[in-house]
């Protein structure tokens, strides 16, 4: 597995690698995301010191939300997009904001059919 940087291109390349796995392998990765998102991110992405520090202090509710949403998207080969707005200038003390927005939905019928749709967008900005 090739680790990519945690940026727009890296997320896209990682998604291509994940969605090229067999269904069983992809389901294993989705389960790993749900079980321990921070460890999964470290395993799949090359993080710089600031990114690692941010993930280490991220609110547990945000981690849980992201884990559920990302796991569902990966399990069902749905798009995940990262949008990073301009990086914080050196010495800038503004807060980093991590804002996931999901349109993920699921539909099931009485015949046991299941359909997943939607996407997950993660915006990273500073205020």
């Amino acid at each position: 597995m090739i680790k990519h940087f945690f940026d727009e291109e890296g997320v896209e390349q990682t998604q291509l690698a994940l969605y090229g796995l067999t269904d069983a392998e992809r389901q294993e990765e989705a389960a790993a995301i749900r079980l321990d998102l921070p460890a999964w991110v470290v395993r799949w992405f090359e993080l710089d010191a600031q990114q690692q520090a941010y993930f280490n202090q991220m609110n547990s509710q945000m981690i849980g939300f992201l884990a559920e949403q990302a796991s569902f998207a990966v399990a069902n080969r749905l798009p995940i997009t990262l949008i990073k707005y301009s990086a914080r200038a050196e010495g800038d003390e503004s807060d980093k904001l991590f804002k996931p927005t999901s349109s993920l939905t699921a539909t099931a019928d009485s015949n046991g059919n299941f359909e997943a749709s939607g996407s997950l967008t993660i915006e990273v900005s500073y205020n």
Side-chain angles (χ1 to χ4, degrees), residues 14-89:
T14 300
Q15 190 171 196
L16 288 172
L18 286 167
Y19 294 0
L21 297 173
T22 66
D23 287 344
E25 292 168 330
R26 198 181 69 264
Q27 294 302 325
E28 285 179 27
E29 291 300 327
I33 292 168
R34 190 171 35 263
L35 181 65
D36 190 350
L37 177 66
W40 185 89
V41 168
V42 167
R43 195 164 50 96
W44 278 85
F45 291 97
E46 191 69 44
L47 302 177
D48 64 30
Q50 285 183 324
Q51 290 171 322
Q52 184 65 55
Y54 187 79
F55 273 105
N56 288 341
Q57 64 78 41
M58 187 180 278
N59 178 284
S60 63
Q61 288 178 301
M62 176 61 81
I63 290 172
F65 179 78
L66 277 172
E68 288 298 324
Q69 298 293 307
S71 174
F72 184 86
V74 168
N76 293 285
R77 287 191 172 95
L78 298 173
I80 300 172
T81 304
L82 177 68
I83 301 171
K84 288 179 79 174
Y85 296 103
S86 61
R88 179 170 43 188

